Amino acid sequence: MTGFMSVFDVPVEQGMAMAVKDINAAGGVLGRQLELITTNNESDPTKIQSAAQEAIEKGAQFVVPACDYDIGGPAARTANDQGIIAIGCAGGPLFGYEGTGPMTYNLHQASPGEGATMAQWAFAAGYRKPFVINDRGLEYSQVAGEYFTKKWQAMGGQIAGETTYQNGDQSAASQIADIQRSGADLVVIASYPPGGATLIRQIRAAGIGLPMVGTQAFDGTYWLDAVPDLSDFFVPVTASLHGDDPVAARNEFFRRIEQETGSPAASAFYPLTGYSSVQALARAIERAGTTDSAAVSAELDRFTDEDLLMGPTTYTATCHIPSLRPQLIVEYTAGKPAVVQRDLALTEVPGGAPC
């Protein structure tokens, strides 16, 4: 797995490999050993469908696409077109039943829920004048920023200002000037690394010390070299990889990653997603008593607060996005992240959950 998506997809594959190892050691699924088949789309939009087709031709009965709607969506459609389940972790709300097909399942809460969670946390924390920077680079970041604003306004709040950013832009001078004029008490970074880290560095370098809240794309430490000693930065996350997660099994999972790979996990969400995708499929297959996609899909649709490693997961026959899964809040202080709030439960997504 290569290209810009490899920073996300390689940890997903690591998590999948660990789940396959664990399940096979326990006897496999329906008495059969699981096999992990991989292909490389090189993060190239022109190669996504062919890479998915290659995996299917190698014998894949289930597909785990790249962790993004723009890159993973075409692979999910390729699987759906052949009656094959695709399960992944795209933030874009179209990665699910309605957007890519009835055989597509998302383990991410989706960016409407993520943006709404950021807003709900910020409002409860006492902020009243957020300035929103909306990265147009991916649907994920665009929608997260839009739903921060929608949720904020639904709670009766007013936005101090909004602007856009394009991931990869070398200068954030216009965004910095807008923040300085706005009178904001919080900066919302609806973006993702590496460009988002560049944006944060330039904001801090301009002398703006306001608290910031970012998307879950900033989970982990892999991007912090760009912003050493970062403080007053908050992120809603599914889990913490820093030894302070409230679920002991997740702390053990991250210890295992370091033991088995020789390096600590760079983020929590992606390896957890890989593990949980295999875990979800294995449970659904066992309950269905078959690997037939229709039967397995029916069992996935029955998941109600299913206790996967990444947390409670609920699907229905027409909703394949677990929008209301509780989150943690991690704060970065002098470059060190730590959980400062547990069980942040989103009350609602403006306009309803994605499905």
Side-chain angles (χ1 to χ4, degrees), residues 58-354:
K58 287 181 175 179
Q61 294 175 284
F62 305 93
V63 171
V64 179
C67 240
D68 174 69
Y69 172 73
D70 299 286
I71 303 299
R77 291 192 190 94
T78 297
N80 270 249
D81 288 347
Q82 297 172 65
I84 292 174
I85 290 172
I87 183 166
C89 57
L94 291 177
F95 192 91
Y97 184 96
E98 294 185 1
T100 51
M103 292 286 187
T104 301
Y105 292 82
N106 201 340
L107 285 163
H108 195 291
Q109 70 181 116
S111 44
E114 191 169 324
T117 297
M118 292 162 63
Q120 183 175 304
W121 167 80
F123 198 89
Y127 299 106
R128 290 296 179 266
K129 296 183 289 183
F131 186 94
V132 181
I133 301 179
N134 198 326
D135 192 329
R136 313 306 288 179
L138 291 174
E139 184 202 23
Y140 161 70
S141 52
Q142 293 178 47
V143 175
E146 290 165 4
Y147 271 81
F148 179 97
T149 299
K150 288 181 180 181
K151 179 68 172 180
W152 192 264
Q153 293 172 340
M155 293 185 296
Q158 294 185 337
I159 300 296
E162 291 183 274
T163 191
T164 60
Y165 173 75
Q166 182 68 40
N167 209 281
D169 283 353
Q170 296 303 304
S171 174
S174 64
Q175 291 86 355
I176 289 168
D178 289 342
I179 296 168
Q180 291 169 330
R181 288 191 294 264
S182 70
D185 62 0
L186 175 73
V187 180
V188 179
I189 308 293
S191 182
Y192 55 94
T198 300
L199 172 65
I200 294 167
R201 183 180 68 241
Q202 292 189 45
I203 291 171
R204 285 291 190 250
I208 298 173
L210 293 171
M212 299 181 182
V213 59
T215 64
Q216 186 161 223
F218 291 100
D219 163 39
T221 58
Y222 68 97
W223 57 278
L224 280 176
D225 285 347
V227 198
D229 300 321
L230 178 65
S231 291
D232 290 323
F233 187 76
F234 299 86
V235 183
V237 299
T238 299
S240 171
L241 54 79
H242 311 295
D244 58 354
D245 193 282
V247 177
R250 293 204 285 249
N251 292 321
E252 176 59 26
F253 173 73
F254 294 119
R255 283 193 289 269
R256 279 186 59 198
I257 287 179
E258 184 167 8
Q259 290 170 356
E260 295 183 16
T261 68
S263 300
S267 66
F269 181 76
Y270 300 104
L272 271 181
T273 295
Y275 194 98
S276 296
S277 63
V278 177
Q279 192 178 38
L281 288 170
R283 290 184 186 177
I285 292 167
E286 285 283 2
R287 293 169 190 173
T290 177
T291 57
D292 174 74
S293 287
V296 175
S297 177
E299 291 299 332
L300 288 170
D301 291 345
R302 295 187 178 96
F303 276 18
T304 302
D305 288 334
E306 186 73 22
D307 188 22
L308 302 179
L309 187 60
M310 71 186 308
T313 300
T314 297
Y315 298 127
T316 70
T318 58
C319 182
H320 295 170
I321 301 173
S323 300
L324 303 182
R325 180 189 291 128
Q327 303 289 289
L328 309 173
I329 295 294
V330 165
E331 179 181 5
Y332 290 76
T333 303
K336 304 296 183 183
V339 173
V340 293
Q341 183 173 342
R342 301 179 176 187
D343 297 324
L344 175 58
L346 180 62
T347 54
E348 63 178 350
V349 179

